[in-house]
């Protein structure tokens, strides 16, 4: 049932913006294997709406973008990382244009939109579906490169380390990954001299999330199990404006709607129906950073017992709205909402994982041979709260940085040793698949209720207790039954939830996205929450 395949030079887990950027650079010299869990465009990248932040306007400066990023990040950002990413942004955009991304233009210049926390217009975009255009261009480039092998429907299970060498070394050196081929059912060892984790975030730990189904924290959990540190996992970003619809639970309404003049209002039926409430919370009103807007909405929903608030851009010219937001406009029409004349009902939902596998400026993790890039990481860019549209940017800069570092160090990496195949001799098929669904739903529900936008120590402890109970059950299930995609995801979801809750309990203050009513003040010194396996 299991094979060790011939080694590639580099194994990359993930085919989103981070993974493909790294693959395209590495393919200048090396044979690269890219694995993806579902089809190749199934990560968050393809879902990105608003765009990519970069200093491209004459009146804008790197210093302003750095300041905006660090204000949003509530002082937890690492300045060196912020500078590196922001100064490399214009080059990253040029590379995307060279690959054929058709960014919107106005009067022969790139059209720049604006989002919360930005002091300037600096977001390049392709209508309101930027991610789809980026994903397509990266995939087209990768497909055309004979040095890149793209392998969809492979579920990475665990990293291959010194423990899996035929001649057991027990070291933390990473040699690739064991992955389940969903079509053949085989678990193969994919090996390489270097490995990059680019598996995206962990949004599906929460009941309501804008992230795609596969965002189950697999890379964070795999790196943790292999011995890498993770950092700032309590910093979970909630996007203020996810469509409120009982059938369509995770459709994002881009922040650019507020950037282009949309107002947040109390809905019909509320005591002050039609009131713009953001001015009561922050001088930046609807364009305050996300943590502030999401908490304000949460506050109004709880205070007035609402289901949602309204996002209203109907005071703008209908043609302007249709032109800027063609995809959202069309999608809403199918649900009976015309955003040119009606408000859009919205609620906050989990959106982005700011914490993750701790990396340095070259994308290196703690483990020799293991790199990471993109949403799976904690690079120091986002601090306690990510600034809008800085995330795709991080993928491009760190995907490239990891690739360059691997090239520079290539001669230090030894040959891949003989690796033991995956052992399935002691497991059987499960006759209780219902356990997976039950546990998955339970985790997502208590994470939403106990570890959400506003936290208390008591609720965090309740969540921790639930996790302890489920851990034994899931470990037992994992040890006895054949691995399936759902089981891999459940195991990782639970592991990631544990890291989030442990980190949240460690932080004895409120900062950025982490708001605990038992510790409402921000401490004078900003410190990362670093967990050591
Ligand atoms: P992803 O694009 O999520 O890719 C992850 C890859 O890893 C996928 O190929 C997946 O199949 C693979 N994978 C995962 N687990 C496994 C496994 N076990 N085995 C094998 N493969 C695996 N950011 C911005 O900067 N601007 C925006 O406008 C913006 N809009 C957004 C809108 C939405 C709705 C969402 C959800 C996010 C948005 N973001 C935006 C955030 C941004 O899209 C993501 O942070 C970014 O795309 C992450 O890219 P990535 O390469 O790290 O991971
Ligand atoms: C959005 O378009 O609002 C999402 C932007 C982001 O997540 O950076």
């Amino acid at each position: 049932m299991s094979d060790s395949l011939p080694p590639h030079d580099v194994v990359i887990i993930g085919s989103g913006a981070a993974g493909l950027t790294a693959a395209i650079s590495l393919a200048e010299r090396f044979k690269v294997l890219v694995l993806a869990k579902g089809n190749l465009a199934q990560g968050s990248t393809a879902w990105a709406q608003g765009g990519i932040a970069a200093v491209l306007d004459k009146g804008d400066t790197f210093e302003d973008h750095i300041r905006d990023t660090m204000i949003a990040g509530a002082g937890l950002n690492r300045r060196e990382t912020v500078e590196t990413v922001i100064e490399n942004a214009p080059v990253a955009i040029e590379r995307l244009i060279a690959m054929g991304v058709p960014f919107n233009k106005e009067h022969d210049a790139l059209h720049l939109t604006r989002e919360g926390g930005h002091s300037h217009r600096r977001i390049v975009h392709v209508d309101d579906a930027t991610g789809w255009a980026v994903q397509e261009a990266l995939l087209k480039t990768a497909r055309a490169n004979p040095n890149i092998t793209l392998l969809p429907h492979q579920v990475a299970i665990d990293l291959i380390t010194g423990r899996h060498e035929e001649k057991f070394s027990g070291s933390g050196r990473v040699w690739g990954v064991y992955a389940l081929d969903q079509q053949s059912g085989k678990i193969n060892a994919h090996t390489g001299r270097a490995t990059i984790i680019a598996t995206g975030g962990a949004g599906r730990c929460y009941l309501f999330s804008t992230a795609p189904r596969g965002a189950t924290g697999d890379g964070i959990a795999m790196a943790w199990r292999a011995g890498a540190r993770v950092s700032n996992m309590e910093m979970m970003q909630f996007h203020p404006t996810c469509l409120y619809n009982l059938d369509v639970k995770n459709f994002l309404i881009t922040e650019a709607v507020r950037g282009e003049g949309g107002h947040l209002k109390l809905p019909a039926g509320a005591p002050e129906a039609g009131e713009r409430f953001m001015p009561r919370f922050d001088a930046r009103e609807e364009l305050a950073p996300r943590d502030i807007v999401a908490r304000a909405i949460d506050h109004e929903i709880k205070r007035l017992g609402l289901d949602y608030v309204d996002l209203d851009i109907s005071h703008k010219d209908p043609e302007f709205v249709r032109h800027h937001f063609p995809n959202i406009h069309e999608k809403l029409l199918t649900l009976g909402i015309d955003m040119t004349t009606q408000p859009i009902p919205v609620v906050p939902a989990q959106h982005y994982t700011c914490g993750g596998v701790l990396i340095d400026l070259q994308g290196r993790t703690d483990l020799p041979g293991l790199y990471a890039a993109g949403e799976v990481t904690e690079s120091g860019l986002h601090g306690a709260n990510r600034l809008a549209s800085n995330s795709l940017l991080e993928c491009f800069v760190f995907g490239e940085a990891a690739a360059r570092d691997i090239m520079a160090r290539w001669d230090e990496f030894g040959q891949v040793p003989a690796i033991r195949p995956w052992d399935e001799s002691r497991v059987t098929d499960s006759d209780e698949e219902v356990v997976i669904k039950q546990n998955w739903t339970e985790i997502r529900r208590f994470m939403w209720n106990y570890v959400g936008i506003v936290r208390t120590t008591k609720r965090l402890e309740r969540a921790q207790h639930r996790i302890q109970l489920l851990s034994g059950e899931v470990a037992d299930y994992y040890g006895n039954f054949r691995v399936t995609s759902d089981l891999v995801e459940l195991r990782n979801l639970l592991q990631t939830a544990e890291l989030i809750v442990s980190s949240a309990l460690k932080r004895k203050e409120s900062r950025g996205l982490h708001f605990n009513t038992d510790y409402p003040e921000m401490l004078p010194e900003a410190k990362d929450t670093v967990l050591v396996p």
Side-chain angles (χ1 to χ4, degrees):
M1 287 294 280
S2 157
D3 280 329
S4 278
L5 304 173
H8 282 76
D9 292 329
V10 183
V11 176
I12 299 177
I13 314 164
S15 60
L20 290 180
T21 301
I24 291 164
S25 289
L26 282 163
E28 288 169 19
R29 278 179 54 194
F30 301 124
K31 296 274 182 205
V32 184
L33 173 68
V34 179
L35 303 174
K37 186 151 69 169
N39 71 43
L40 295 167
Q42 217 165 284
S44 293
T45 297
W47 289 28
Q49 292 185 354
I52 306 164
V55 172
L56 297 164
D57 187 41
K58 277 201 213 84
D60 199 4
T61 64
F62 287 144
E63 194 46 46
D64 284 346
H65 191 179
I66 291 167
R67 190 176 342 98
D68 293 346
T69 300
M70 298 197 59
I71 289 173
L76 202 63
N77 326 63
R78 291 194 278 288
R79 170 128 192 150
E80 205 187 359
T81 310
V82 178
E83 284 173 4
T84 303
V85 173
I86 284 169
E87 288 167 13
N88 278 292
V91 177
I93 302 296
E94 270 170 36
R95 276 204 308 265
L96 291 171
I97 293 172
M99 280 186 225
V101 178
F103 290 116
N104 286 36
K105 290 193 161 181
E106 198 173 59
H107 312 303
D108 279 347
L110 289 171
H111 178 260
L112 303 174
T113 187
R114 190 167 170 191
E115 290 178 352
H118 287 275
S119 56
H120 287 267
R121 284 188 169 264
R122 64 165 74 97
I123 322 283
V124 293
H125 62 106
V126 182
D127 296 332
D128 52 356
T130 310
W132 185 249
V134 167
Q135 181 78 62
E136 273 199 320
L138 289 169
L139 271 177
K140 191 166 160 221
T141 309
R143 282 195 177 106
N145 193 316
N147 276 346
I148 300 177
T149 304
L150 298 165
L151 221 49
H153 306 293
Q154 311 294 317
V155 185
I157 303 170
D158 264 320
L159 293 167
I160 297 170
T161 65
R163 291 194 301 121
H164 305 101
E165 292 168 13
E166 286 283 6
K167 287 189 185 149
F168 180 89
S169 78
S171 78
R173 175 69 169 89
V174 174
W175 296 112
V177 69
Y178 290 110
L180 167 69
D181 180 329
Q182 297 202 67
Q183 265 137 14
S184 70
K186 277 186 171 183
I187 295 173
N188 299 310
H190 298 280
T191 55
R193 289 211 221 178
T195 305
I196 304 178
I197 300 185
T199 45
R204 287 302 177 118
C205 280
Y206 286 85
L207 192 58
F208 300 105
S209 170
T210 63
R213 191 192 174 281
T216 48
D218 297 2
I220 297 170
M222 282 191 288
W224 172 258
R225 286 194 292 268
R229 284 174 302 162
V230 301
S231 176
N232 295 343
M233 288 299 294
E234 72 279 28
M235 298 304 175
M236 196 49 89
Q237 184 169 75
F238 293 80
H239 195 292
T241 59
C242 178
L243 175 70
Y244 173 79
N245 181 290
L246 295 180
D247 297 321
V248 183
K249 291 208 176 58
N250 61 352
F251 186 66
L252 181 75
I253 308 295
T254 177
E255 194 151 329
V257 171
R258 278 176 285 133
E260 295 299 340
H263 292 152
L264 285 164
K265 294 180 176 172
L266 294 176
E272 302 97 6
E275 187 212 352
R276 267 181 77 195
F277 56 87
M278 274 316 296
R280 279 197 269 118
F281 289 88
D282 195 282
R284 291 161 290 186
E285 304 178 341
E286 278 84 356
L287 290 179
R290 277 183 193 167
D291 55 334
I292 294 170
V293 183
R295 263 200 305 277
I297 297 176
D298 186 65
H299 179 270
E300 291 302 274
I301 285 179
K302 291 200 170 116
R303 180 175 75 90
L304 297 167
L306 308 172
D307 288 328
Y308 56 84
V309 296
D310 281 342
L311 173 59
D312 192 2
I313 194 166
S314 64
H315 51 282
K316 291 271 183 180
D317 176 22
E319 193 38 48
F320 172 90
V321 174
R322 275 192 292 269
H323 173 70
H324 279 271
F325 309 108
N327 296 291
I328 295 175
H329 176 252
E330 211 163 289
K331 171 78 182 179
L332 291 177
L333 280 183
T334 68
L335 299 168
I337 302 166
D338 182 350
M339 69 188 282
T340 65
T341 57
Q342 291 171 287
I344 309 163
V346 292
V347 283
Q350 189 289 338
H351 182 62
Y352 185 82
T353 311
C354 290
V357 183
L358 192 57
I359 55 165
D360 66 12
L361 274 179
Q362 285 71 40
R364 281 180 291 181
T365 71
D366 289 336
L367 304 179
L370 183 67
Y371 291 74
E375 191 170 339
V376 69
T377 66
E378 198 281 290
S379 69
L381 175 64
H382 308 306
N385 177 33
R386 173 172 72 91
L387 184 66
S389 288
N390 267 356
S391 159
L392 285 169
L393 185 55
E394 181 185 40
C395 296
F396 304 129
V397 174
F398 275 96
E400 179 72 15
R404 296 287 153 211
D405 198 70
I406 291 170
M407 289 190 215
R409 289 170 190 275
W410 190 247
D411 294 336
E412 295 169 22
F413 299 137
Q415 296 285 348
V416 179
I419 297 296
R420 281 188 282 115
W422 184 265
D423 181 9
E424 281 197 299
S425 54
R426 281 165 301 144
V427 294
T428 58
D429 284 327
S430 164
D431 55 0
E432 280 191 284
E433 290 288 330
V434 66
V435 171
I436 295 183
K437 197 169 174 200
Q438 164 62 31
N439 287 347
W440 177 296
T441 311
E442 198 174 331
I443 296 168
R444 297 183 66 208
R445 202 168 274 283
F446 70 67
M447 288 299 286
W448 181 257
N449 288 325
Y450 297 164
V451 197
I453 298 173
V454 176
R455 300 160 181 181
T456 67
T457 302
K458 197 166 188 157
R459 279 190 239 145
L460 292 174
E461 283 168 352
R462 279 189 210 286
Q464 192 174 49
H465 182 59
R466 299 300 312 143
I467 290 169
Q468 279 158 2
L469 291 177
L470 290 177
S471 292
E473 201 169 290
V474 171
D476 189 47
Y477 197 95
Y478 184 79
N480 288 313
F481 295 120
R482 211 175 298 290
V483 169
T484 63
S485 175
D486 286 347
L487 178 54
V488 170
E489 290 189 337
L490 171 65
R491 181 178 177 233
N492 292 331
L493 205 69
L494 188 61
Q495 178 64 76
T496 313
E498 203 231 313
L499 296 171
I500 297 167
V501 174
S502 304
S503 303
L505 279 166
K506 271 183 184 290
R507 189 170 288 282
K508 307 285 188 219
E509 62 165 348
S510 289
R511 181 183 294 276
L513 297 160
H514 176 73
F515 190 81
N516 184 336
T517 54
D518 294 314
Y519 301 99
E521 303 302 327
M522 187 156 85
L523 294 176
E525 197 188 348
K527 282 194 185 157
D528 292 318
T529 309
V530 179
L531 300 182
V532 183

